[in-house]
Amino acid sequence: MKVKKYVASSMPEAMKVIRAELGPEAVILKSRSVKVGGFMGVFTKKKLEVIAGVDDQVKKTKKYVKKRTDEQLMKQIDELKQLIATVHPLRNTVVEYPLLVQKVISYLQHQEIEERLLKEVRDKVMELYYTTPSLGDKQVVEWLKSWFEDYLSYSERSKVFQKKYINVVGPTGVGKTTTLAKLAASCILEQNKRVAFITTDTYRISAIDQLKTYASILNVPIEVCYNNEDFQQALQIFNEYDIVFIDTAGRNFLDSQYIHDLHNMMSFNEHMETFLVLAATAKMADLRKVYQQFSSIPIDSIILTKLDETTTFGPIINVLTECQLPASFMTIGQDVPDDLEKYTAEKIVDYLFGDWKHE
């Protein structure tokens, strides 16, 4: 490995010299503030001393790098970083990032994007910074939005309501009943489907009354089920209907008995499509726990609610990338059926960068 020391006024200045001399494969090994010049300790100037290194073998084989796949290249970079860490472990090293990069990271941290995603973004934006002349706020936010949209492209679900029984599950307070009514109204008004309701939420009288009110407005029948026998009977009653929407009880998601009761009440078979409802206002730790609790149920897709009640969208991005489940709908208010939107990666990324201030 070739190692060289540089002294510069700032990290961006040092990076430009390092890249020019050692190439884009160079790695920062250590950096610290030093005083240079002056006379007998007087009139010294504060500078940044940076020690950088590059694997000579990597430089020799540079002309072949383009022929390798991205996966192979990333593997080689990771191995090189591990080698450097082993040879010269870095502790308490502070790297000074360009102000624009710092702004990006600060904004995403404020949005509560997790470190595992921040690291990827930071590396990509640093590369963009040193390869794009006169990079400004507008350019970087456009690039970031495009990057996040590509990153979340898997989360878009093109087809929904492919099965007769549509079931919504989730913790209390996320808006399951209102969301169910919005979905039903959409099927009736846009697809002219014959729709029926089943509710198993017998723990709250208000929940039954709320769904009965929606059923009356939409002119659809409803059955209240207290046990599996009631549920099976309701399925028989609604056998001729196109779609049957099932509202489940909203209870404390930390109580594992809730999930056990769901399994006892209904069969999650090939005829049922199940949506997990998550509120955008929830903390990441709670979102993760909700997903873990419901993971024993075959979840087909996610519905995001209460996007109009928060300005922080990082936790939603985190949980989507962590659970690797697609999302289908988003709700942005209480109005039925107006405040229901089809989920797209572009829309959720627009929410994520909605508070970005251009300079």
Side-chain angles (χ1 to χ4, degrees):
M1 172 180 287
K2 181 178 181 181
V3 178
K4 190 173 180 180
K5 181 169 69 176
Y6 298 85
V7 177
S9 299
S10 65
M11 180 59 76
E13 179 183 319
M15 287 293 292
K16 289 179 181 179
V17 177
I18 292 168
R19 286 176 178 272
E21 291 190 11
L22 301 183
E25 299 86 4
V27 177
I28 301 298
L29 301 179
K30 186 177 181 180
S31 65
R32 67 187 182 101
S33 296
V34 296
K35 293 182 179 180
V36 299
F39 178 71
M40 298 183 67
V42 183
F43 304 120
T44 59
K45 292 184 179 180
K46 189 176 181 180
K47 294 283 187 176
L48 184 67
E49 181 184 274
V50 180
I51 298 177
V54 64
D55 192 320
D56 291 331
Q57 189 61 31
V58 174
K59 294 191 70 175
K60 291 177 182 178
T61 58
K62 181 178 178 181
K63 62 181 179 180
Y64 299 109
V65 169
K66 292 184 179 179
K67 296 181 181 180
R68 298 170 184 173
T69 64
D70 289 343
E71 182 178 354
Q72 291 173 320
L73 181 57
M74 290 306 298
K75 182 179 179 181
Q76 183 188 36
I77 293 173
D78 287 340
E79 289 174 350
L80 177 58
K81 288 180 178 178
Q82 291 172 12
L83 175 62
I84 294 171
T86 302
V87 174
H88 190 91
L90 300 181
R91 291 186 175 90
N92 302 321
T93 299
V94 177
V95 178
E96 297 179 9
Y97 293 103
L99 289 178
L100 184 56
V101 180
Q102 291 180 32
K103 180 178 180 180
V104 168
I105 300 306
S106 177
Y107 178 82
L108 293 178
Q109 286 175 331
H110 177 73
Q111 283 289 319
E112 299 180 19
I113 291 290
E114 289 187 318
E115 181 59 31
R116 61 184 174 85
L117 275 178
L118 281 178
K119 185 180 184 302
E120 289 193 57
V121 173
R122 183 167 51 239
D123 292 345
K124 295 292 185 181
V125 175
M126 280 292 287
E127 181 180 345
L128 179 72
Y129 181 85
Y130 287 109
T131 56
T132 306
S134 304
L135 183 67
D137 268 39
K138 186 176 181 180
Q139 289 173 291
V140 79
V141 77
E142 287 176 354
W143 184 91
L144 281 167
K145 289 174 74 171
S146 178
W147 185 86
F148 270 99
E149 286 172 24
D150 289 341
Y151 197 88
L152 291 166
S153 60
Y154 72 90
S155 66
E156 296 183 356
R157 189 166 184 242
S158 58
K159 295 182 179 180
V160 292
F161 305 152
Q162 299 298 296
K163 300 175 183 179
K164 180 172 182 173
Y165 302 106
I166 306 300
N167 181 35
V168 293
V169 299
T172 182
V174 295
K176 292 191 301 298
T177 303
T178 303
T179 299
L180 194 80
K182 292 175 182 179
L183 297 175
S186 176
C187 284
I188 294 170
L189 299 174
E190 298 176 12
Q191 303 178 35
N192 198 30
K193 298 286 188 180
R194 292 186 67 210
V195 169
F197 284 150
I198 291 177
T199 179
T200 66
D201 190 358
T202 56
Y203 293 91
R204 297 180 302 128
I205 299 300
S206 60
I208 297 176
D209 291 340
Q210 183 183 12
L211 193 60
K212 283 184 175 179
T213 299
Y214 286 136
S216 176
I217 293 172
L218 297 172
N219 193 29
V220 301
I222 180 173
E223 287 288 323
V224 180
C225 301
Y226 293 87
N227 50 48
N228 181 263
E229 184 178 350
D230 291 344
F231 185 76
Q232 295 302 323
Q233 185 176 351
L235 297 184
Q236 291 298 319
I237 293 172
F238 296 140
N239 187 53
E240 300 301 320
Y241 282 79
D242 297 320
I243 298 180
V244 179
F245 287 93
I246 305 167
D247 192 19
T248 61
R251 292 167 61 186
N252 185 351
F253 66 89
L254 296 176
D255 185 1
S256 58
Q257 182 63 37
Y258 173 30
I259 309 300
H260 181 72
D261 291 344
L262 281 176
H263 280 286
N264 287 339
M265 176 65 73
M266 64 189 73
S267 299
F268 294 91
N269 56 34
E270 68 276 10
H271 304 295
M272 183 176 290
E273 190 173 354
T274 300
F275 294 86
L276 175 60
V277 183
L278 299 175
T281 52
K283 297 181 295 185
M284 181 57 205
D286 290 339
L287 289 172
R288 180 178 286 116
K289 186 63 177 179
V290 169
Y291 172 68
Q292 290 172 350
Q293 285 287 70
F294 284 90
S295 60
S296 64
I297 294 173
I299 303 297
D300 294 289
S301 186
I302 289 174
I303 296 176
L304 304 173
T305 61
K306 301 189 177 185
L307 272 79
D308 57 313
E309 298 181 25
T310 185
T311 58
T312 305
F313 299 94
I316 288 296
I317 303 293
N318 296 335
V319 78
L320 286 173
T321 57
E322 185 172 307
C323 71
Q324 290 290 300
L325 279 175
S328 298
F329 297 100
M330 308 186 301
T331 71
I332 52 172
Q334 296 296 312
D335 290 345
V336 178
D338 296 335
D339 294 335
L340 178 73
E341 293 184 355
K342 186 79 172 62
Y343 168 89
T344 65
E346 181 181 3
K347 286 179 182 178
I348 200 65
V349 171
D350 282 341
Y351 278 111
L352 178 64
F353 288 96
D355 281 345
W356 180 277
K357 304 300 182 185
H358 294 294
E359 292 182 350

